[in-house]
Amino acid sequence: MRKLYVIGIGAGDPDQVTMQAVKAMRRAEAFFVIGKGAEKQELVDVRTAILREYVDGQHRVLEIADPPRDRAPADYTGVVQDWHDRRAVLLEEAFEQVDGDGAILVWGDPALYDSTLRMVERVLDRGRVRFDYEVIPGVTSVAALAAAHRVVLHRIGEPVHITTGRKLREEGLGPGSTVVMLDGECSFTEVPGDDIHIWWGAYLGMPDEILIEGNLREVEKSILERRARARAEKGWIMDVYLLRSE
Ligand SMILES: C[S@@+](CC[C@H](N)C(=O)[O-])C[C@H]1O[C@@H](n2cnc3c(N)ncnc32)[C@H](O)[C@@H]1O
């Protein structure tokens, strides 16, 4: 049976690609690249650079245009599910054009805030194309953040809570340490208290990487400024941060 490899490629530095990922890439005849529109072309470029570096030129690259979606809908879950359905149809159509094994390169690790595995399961549920799939883990942006700051994510024996900016605003910090992803709103500014430490990173592993660390109240203004400037210059930003009481 044909195989689809769902391959974690790390969070932006091609050197984070594992040997396991390289071996899976070399087995694939075609790569499905889910584009995010022109402003994030740099992310598509990282995947292209990885393919150039680790596999020979005997493969096809099928770009799947990301269907547009409402970013602030009233029915968030419904809109996201509909978007996943439309992506599943596009992946199905792309896989139908290929005879051998396929691969999808996933940013970071497929198990962390990524919908690729759900999309693959939807394609299988639809029953039009039959295949087996295998997941290759990747270096997450959370691991890249911890390594860049040379910090352990939690205190000895304590938990670490991974959440989104939206949930941080709704629910506050978790027990122990909190890692925040997918935060376009700088939600750290809404966390109360003078004794919180932040380890913040943007474009981790990429040439424009920015790292800021310190007492949240003391450094939040400089994070806001650096973040706004970088976002204006590049047209996009990806950042992640760790919060913990001091
Ligand atoms: C859709 S999630 C994908 C996470 C990914 N699967 C992972 O394992 O890291 C995107 C979020 O991951 C974080 N992220 C991913 N890559 C990053 C990078 N190179 N630098 C900073 N944050 C990153 C940001 O919080 C961003 O909003």
Side-chain angles (χ1 to χ4, degrees), residues 11-12 106-110 112-114 139-142 180-183 201-206 238-240:
V106 175
W107 200 261
D109 182 83
L112 190 64
Y113 291 112
D114 187 274
V139 174
T140 65
S141 54
V142 179
V180 184
M181 306 177 68
L182 291 161
D183 184 11
Y203 314 112
L204 290 161
M206 304 177 85
M238 275 201 306
D239 58 340
V240 56

Side-chain angles (χ1 to χ4, degrees), residues 7 22 127 154:
I7 305 174
V22 171
H154 49 81

